[in-house]
């Protein structure tokens, strides 16, 4: 096997000598796309809205839970609180992913 590889290596010209550079690119400077500052601002507003709605939902669910417990009704508020907490986890993960994508 080594004899075959040696014979092939002797018959093939060196690869680093057999190419030519046809074009060279300079170091491009990145620039933000149009309206990127408005999109970033809108994303920040949406992030605050999601956080505020999550906190409001948990507070409302807690108040409803206390009301149901006080009046002895059926307890449906724990499902609402669990749903709000899961929604908050998803929203937090989405925010982290968006920050990584946007370079923040």
């Amino acid at each position: 096997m080594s004899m075959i590889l040696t014979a092939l290596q002797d018959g093939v010209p060196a690869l680093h000598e057999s190419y030519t550079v046809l074009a060279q690119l300079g170091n491009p400077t990145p620039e933000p796309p149009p309206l990127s500052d408005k999109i970033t601002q809108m994303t920040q507003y949406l992030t605050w809205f999601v956080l505020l709605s999550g906190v409001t939902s948990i507070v409302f669910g807690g108040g409803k839970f206390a009301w149901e417990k006080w009046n002895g009704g059926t307890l449906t508020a724990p499902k609402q609180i669990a749903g709000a907490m899961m929604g908050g986890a998803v929203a937090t993960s989405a925010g982290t992913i968006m920050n990584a994508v946007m370079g923040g």
Side-chain angles (χ1 to χ4, degrees), residues 46-69:
L46 288 174
T47 301
W48 277 108
F49 176 73
V50 167
L51 291 173
L52 182 64
S53 64
V55 169
T56 304
S57 176
I58 289 175
V59 169
F60 178 76
K64 188 175 176 183
F65 180 63
W67 182 260
E68 289 172 355
K69 192 75 169 167

Side-chain angles (χ1 to χ4, degrees), residues 74-100:
T74 60
L75 296 179
T76 59
K79 293 178 190 174
Q80 184 178 7
I81 294 173
M85 291 174 73
M86 285 189 280
V90 168
T92 303
S93 299
T96 303
I97 292 169
M98 286 303 292
N99 282 335

Side-chain angles (χ1 to χ4, degrees), residues 13-26:
L15 292 177
H16 65 277
E17 296 173 2
S18 64
Y19 67 90
T20 305
V21 175
L22 299 176
Q24 292 182 354
L25 294 175

